Amino acid sequence: MSDLLTTVDAQEPASGNGGRSLRFVGGKIGGGLVSLLLVAVLGFFLFRVMPGDPVRTMTRGAPMTSQQIADLRERLGLDQPLWKQFLDFLGNLLRGDLGTSYTYSRPVGELILERVGPTLLLVGTATVLAILLGLWMGSRAAWKHGGAFDKTASSVALALWSVPTFWLGLIVLMAFGVGVGPIPGLFPVGGISSPDAPPGLLPQVLDVAHHMVLPVLTMLAVIYAEYLMVMRSSLLEEMGEDYLTTARAKGLREDLVRSRHAVPNALLPTVTLIFLRLGLVIAGAITVETVFSWPGLGLLTFEALRVPDLPLLQGIFIVLAGSVVVMNVLADLLYRVIDPRVRES
């Protein structure tokens, strides 16, 4: 009988932990779904309060009668009451229909799918380089805090972090694209490829990489600083812990103490930050893509704002804001996996 009670007692904590984990995951996913609903509501009403009449903009310079303008407004559904437009928008959204673009007369979903590839290529490359550079420089700066490298790296990172992205992009474009004085431009000033690029996979890949240098450099210069500062701060907190003293007492070299013990523990908040910022980085590519005429979601957003193309703006907003919500939920779930202190709470 005592053995049976011991077995039951041993199983209860495991069952309790499993229940807490399910409640935690369910709560995060449920909160994410509520956030996505709020994103949809905000995405609809936000662009309805923008100045400008899409119909007037689309028909600017065209000889059209008042009846033709009214017919166009009816065809676009802009003659309906706002509440009716909102219900139609929600119904279409639940069916996966983001509407039809006023400017391109094509489904918004197709336009976004066409442009999401270049954006992911640009953002993904810049983010990976920023993470590698930021983590390496942050760990080195913290390990030798107070030294020349720490002061220089922190000062440069903070300066670049505070610079507006579009301003830095224009400076980079003029310096390395157009050229300054006797120094010629070294890189293309816009686009994703050259119309006269030679055929073949390797030449085309090299041509795209050549066009990526300046926009990637601009994004890298702005976003790597955050990873550097967070990694530096996290590692500084770990440097006084007892387990590092124990590792040194065992005779481990200083570089092994840092790489095997200090850095892995300091990575926990940085890994969370990577997921939290990934969605924001995608949304933040709008200015970079506009400056460098990169054919992604950012440039598409800029083109839609000029009309304004309401369905296209709504669709892009939902995709970009939804990516932020999804990455936040993934960050919360991942942190529970990699940090035992959170998992056991």
Side-chain angles (χ1 to χ4, degrees), residues 115-131 212 215-216 219-220 223 227 274 277-289 294 296-298 320 323 327:
R115 300 293 189 98
V116 73
T119 294
L120 292 179
L121 176 63
L122 175 63
V123 170
T125 303
T127 301
V128 170
L129 294 177
I131 291 171
M212 287 178 60
V216 166
M219 294 194 68
L220 171 64
I223 63 178
Y227 300 116
I274 291 172
R277 297 295 299 173
L278 188 57
L280 295 175
V281 170
I282 294 176
I286 294 177
T287 54
V288 175
E289 292 186 3
W294 188 263
L297 290 178
L320 295 183
S323 67
M327 289 302 167

Coordinates of all heavy atoms in Angstrom, one line a residue, residues 115-131 212 215-216 219-220 223 227 274 277-289 294 296-298 320 323 327:
R115 N 5.9 39.8 -53.3 CA 6.9 40.7 -52.7 C 7.5 40.2 -51.4 O 8.5 40.8 -50.9 CB 6.2 42.0 -52.4 CG 5.6 42.7 -53.6 CD 6.7 43.2 -54.6 NE 6.2 44.0 -55.6 CZ 6.2 45.4 -55.6 NH1 6.8 46.0 -54.6 NH2 5.7 46.1 -56.6
V116 N 7.0 39.2 -50.8 CA 7.5 38.7 -49.5 C 8.9 38.0 -49.6 O 9.7 38.1 -48.7 CB 6.5 37.8 -48.8 CG1 6.4 36.4 -49.4 CG2 6.8 37.6 -47.3
G117 N 9.1 37.4 -50.8 CA 10.4 36.8 -51.0 C 11.6 37.7 -50.9 O 12.5 37.5 -50.1
P118 N 11.6 38.8 -51.7 CA 12.7 39.8 -51.6 C 12.8 40.4 -50.2 O 14.0 40.6 -49.7 CB 12.3 40.9 -52.6 CG 11.5 40.1 -53.6 CD 10.7 39.1 -52.8
T119 N 11.7 40.6 -49.5 CA 11.8 41.2 -48.1 C 12.4 40.2 -47.2 O 13.3 40.5 -46.4 CB 10.4 41.5 -47.6 OG1 9.9 42.6 -48.4 CG2 10.4 42.0 -46.2
L120 N 12.0 38.9 -47.3 CA 12.7 37.9 -46.4 C 14.1 37.7 -46.7 O 14.9 37.5 -45.8 CB 11.9 36.6 -46.5 CG 10.5 36.5 -46.0 CD1 9.8 35.2 -46.2 CD2 10.5 36.9 -44.5
L121 N 14.5 37.8 -48.0 CA 15.9 37.7 -48.4 C 16.7 38.8 -47.8 O 17.8 38.6 -47.2 CB 16.0 37.7 -49.9 CG 17.4 37.6 -50.5 CD1 18.2 36.4 -50.1 CD2 17.4 37.8 -52.0
L122 N 16.2 40.0 -47.9 CA 16.9 41.2 -47.3 C 17.0 41.1 -45.8 O 18.0 41.3 -45.2 CB 16.2 42.4 -47.8 CG 16.8 43.8 -47.3 CD1 18.2 44.0 -47.7 CD2 15.9 44.9 -47.7
V123 N 15.8 41.0 -45.2 CA 15.7 41.0 -43.7 C 16.5 39.8 -43.1 O 17.2 39.9 -42.1 CB 14.3 41.0 -43.3 CG1 14.2 40.8 -41.8 CG2 13.6 42.3 -43.7
G124 N 16.3 38.6 -43.7 CA 17.0 37.4 -43.2 C 18.5 37.6 -43.2 O 19.2 37.2 -42.3
T125 N 19.0 38.0 -44.3 CA 20.5 38.2 -44.4 C 21.0 39.2 -43.4 O 22.0 39.0 -42.7 CB 20.9 38.7 -45.9 OG1 20.4 37.7 -46.8 CG2 22.4 38.8 -46.0
A126 N 20.3 40.4 -43.4 CA 20.7 41.4 -42.4 C 20.6 41.0 -41.0 O 21.5 41.3 -40.2 CB 19.9 42.7 -42.7
T127 N 19.6 40.2 -40.7 CA 19.3 39.8 -39.3 C 20.4 38.8 -38.9 O 20.9 38.8 -37.8 CB 17.9 39.2 -39.1 OG1 17.0 40.2 -39.5 CG2 17.7 38.7 -37.7
V128 N 20.7 37.8 -39.7 CA 21.7 36.8 -39.4 C 23.1 37.4 -39.2 O 23.8 37.1 -38.2 CB 21.8 35.7 -40.5 CG1 23.0 34.8 -40.3 CG2 20.5 34.9 -40.5
L129 N 23.4 38.3 -40.1 CA 24.7 39.0 -39.9 C 24.7 39.9 -38.6 O 25.7 39.9 -37.9 CB 25.0 39.9 -41.1 CG 25.3 39.1 -42.4 CD1 25.5 40.1 -43.6 CD2 26.5 38.2 -42.3
A130 N 23.6 40.5 -38.4 CA 23.5 41.4 -37.2 C 23.6 40.6 -35.9 O 24.3 41.0 -34.9 CB 22.2 42.2 -37.2
I131 N 23.0 39.4 -35.9 CA 23.0 38.5 -34.7 C 24.5 38.0 -34.5 O 25.0 38.1 -33.3 CB 22.1 37.3 -34.9 CG1 20.6 37.8 -34.8 CG2 22.3 36.3 -33.8 CD1 19.6 36.8 -35.2
M212 N 22.4 43.6 -53.1 CA 22.0 43.5 -51.7 C 23.0 44.2 -50.7 O 22.6 44.5 -49.6 CB 21.9 42.1 -51.2 CG 20.7 41.3 -51.8 SD 20.7 39.6 -51.3 CE 20.7 39.8 -49.5
P215 N 21.6 47.9 -49.1 CA 20.5 47.8 -48.1 C 20.8 46.9 -46.9 O 20.4 47.2 -45.8 CB 19.4 47.2 -49.0 CG 20.0 46.7 -50.2 CD 21.2 47.4 -50.4
V216 N 21.5 45.8 -47.2 CA 21.9 44.9 -46.0 C 22.8 45.7 -45.1 O 22.7 45.6 -43.8 CB 22.6 43.6 -46.5 CG1 23.2 42.9 -45.4 CG2 21.5 42.7 -47.2
M219 N 20.7 48.1 -42.9 CA 20.0 47.4 -41.9 C 20.9 46.8 -40.8 O 20.6 46.9 -39.6 CB 19.1 46.3 -42.5 CG 18.0 46.8 -43.4 SD 16.8 45.5 -43.7 CE 16.0 45.3 -42.1
L220 N 22.0 46.3 -41.2 CA 23.0 45.7 -40.3 C 23.5 46.7 -39.3 O 23.6 46.5 -38.1 CB 24.1 45.1 -41.1 CG 25.3 44.6 -40.3 CD1 24.9 43.5 -39.3 CD2 26.4 44.1 -41.2
I223 N 20.6 47.5 -36.6 CA 20.0 46.5 -35.7 C 21.0 45.7 -35.0 O 20.7 45.1 -33.9 CB 19.1 45.5 -36.5 CG1 19.9 44.7 -37.6 CG2 18.0 46.3 -37.2 CD1 19.0 43.7 -38.3
Y227 N 21.6 43.8 -30.3 CA 22.1 42.5 -29.9 C 23.4 42.6 -29.1 O 23.6 41.9 -28.1 CB 22.3 41.6 -31.1 CG 21.0 41.4 -31.9 CD1 20.9 41.8 -33.2 CD2 19.9 40.7 -31.3 CE1 19.7 41.6 -33.9 CE2 18.7 40.5 -32.0 CZ 18.6 40.9 -33.3 OH 17.5 40.7 -34.0
I274 N 15.9 38.0 -30.1 CA 15.9 37.7 -31.5 C 14.5 37.5 -32.1 O 14.2 38.0 -33.1 CB 16.9 36.5 -31.8 CG1 18.3 36.9 -31.5 CG2 16.7 36.0 -33.2 CD1 19.3 35.7 -31.5
R277 N 12.3 40.7 -31.9 CA 12.6 41.8 -32.8 C 12.5 41.4 -34.2 O 12.4 42.2 -35.1 CB 14.1 42.2 -32.6 CG 14.4 42.8 -31.2 CD 13.6 44.1 -31.0 NE 14.0 45.1 -32.0 CZ 13.5 46.3 -32.1 NH1 12.4 46.6 -31.4 NH2 13.9 47.2 -33.0
L278 N 12.4 40.0 -34.5 CA 12.3 39.6 -35.9 C 11.1 40.1 -36.6 O 11.3 40.6 -37.8 CB 12.4 38.1 -36.0 CG 12.5 37.5 -37.3 CD1 13.8 37.9 -38.0 CD2 12.5 35.9 -37.3
G279 N 10.0 40.1 -36.0 CA 8.8 40.7 -36.6 C 8.9 42.1 -36.8 O 8.5 42.7 -37.9
L280 N 9.5 42.9 -35.9 CA 9.7 44.3 -36.0 C 10.7 44.6 -37.1 O 10.5 45.7 -37.8 CB 10.1 44.9 -34.7 CG 9.1 44.8 -33.5 CD1 9.7 45.3 -32.2 CD2 7.8 45.6 -33.9
V281 N 11.7 43.8 -37.3 CA 12.7 44.1 -38.3 C 12.0 44.0 -39.7 O 12.3 44.7 -40.6 CB 13.9 43.1 -38.2 CG1 14.8 43.2 -39.4 CG2 14.7 43.4 -36.9
I282 N 11.1 43.0 -39.9 CA 10.4 42.8 -41.1 C 9.6 44.1 -41.4 O 9.6 44.6 -42.6 CB 9.5 41.6 -41.1 CG1 10.4 40.3 -41.0 CG2 8.7 41.5 -42.4 CD1 9.6 39.1 -40.9
A283 N 8.9 44.6 -40.4 CA 8.2 45.8 -40.6 C 9.1 47.0 -40.8 O 8.7 48.0 -41.5 CB 7.2 46.0 -39.4
G284 N 10.2 47.0 -40.2 CA 11.1 48.1 -40.3 C 11.9 48.2 -41.6 O 12.6 49.2 -41.8
A285 N 11.7 47.2 -42.5 CA 12.4 47.2 -43.8 C 11.7 48.2 -44.7 O 12.2 48.4 -45.8 CB 12.4 45.8 -44.3
I286 N 10.6 48.8 -44.4 CA 9.9 49.7 -45.3 C 10.8 50.8 -45.7 O 10.9 51.1 -46.9 CB 8.6 50.2 -44.6 CG1 7.6 49.1 -44.4 CG2 8.0 51.3 -45.5 CD1 6.4 49.5 -43.6
T287 N 11.4 51.5 -44.8 CA 12.3 52.6 -45.2 C 13.5 52.2 -46.0 O 13.8 52.9 -47.0 CB 12.7 53.4 -43.9 OG1 13.4 52.4 -43.0 CG2 11.6 54.0 -43.2
V288 N 14.1 51.1 -45.7 CA 15.3 50.7 -46.4 C 14.9 50.3 -47.8 O 15.5 50.7 -48.8 CB 15.9 49.5 -45.7 CG1 17.1 48.9 -46.5 CG2 16.4 49.9 -44.3
E289 N 13.8 49.6 -48.0 CA 13.3 49.2 -49.3 C 12.9 50.4 -50.2 O 13.1 50.4 -51.4 CB 12.2 48.2 -49.2 CG 12.6 46.8 -48.6 CD 11.4 45.8 -48.6 OE1 10.4 46.2 -49.2 OE2 11.6 44.7 -48.1
W294 N 14.0 48.5 -53.3 CA 14.0 47.1 -53.2 C 12.6 46.6 -53.4 O 11.7 47.0 -52.7 CB 14.6 46.7 -51.9 CG 14.8 45.2 -51.7 CD1 14.0 44.3 -51.1 CD2 16.0 44.5 -52.2 NE1 14.6 43.0 -51.2 CE2 15.8 43.1 -51.8 CE3 17.2 44.8 -52.9 CZ2 16.7 42.1 -52.1 CZ3 18.1 43.8 -53.2 CH2 17.9 42.5 -52.8
G296 N 10.2 44.8 -52.4 CA 9.6 43.9 -51.4 C 8.4 44.6 -50.8 O 7.7 45.5 -51.4
L297 N 8.0 44.1 -49.6 CA 6.7 44.6 -49.0 C 6.9 46.1 -48.6 O 5.9 46.8 -48.6 CB 6.4 43.7 -47.8 CG 6.0 42.3 -48.0 CD1 5.7 41.6 -46.7 CD2 4.7 42.3 -48.9
G298 N 8.1 46.5 -48.3 CA 8.3 47.9 -47.9 C 8.0 48.8 -49.0 O 7.2 49.8 -48.8
L320 N 2.3 42.2 -41.6 CA 3.5 42.7 -40.8 C 3.2 42.7 -39.3 O 4.0 42.2 -38.5 CB 3.9 44.1 -41.3 CG 4.4 44.2 -42.7 CD1 4.8 45.7 -43.0 CD2 5.5 43.3 -43.0
S323 N 3.0 39.1 -38.0 CA 4.3 38.5 -37.8 C 4.9 38.9 -36.5 O 5.6 38.1 -35.8 CB 5.3 38.9 -39.0 OG 5.6 40.3 -38.9
M327 N 5.8 36.1 -33.6 CA 7.1 36.0 -33.1 C 7.2 36.3 -31.6 O 8.0 35.7 -30.9 CB 8.0 37.1 -33.8 CG 8.4 36.7 -35.2 SD 9.1 35.1 -35.3 CE 9.0 34.8 -37.1

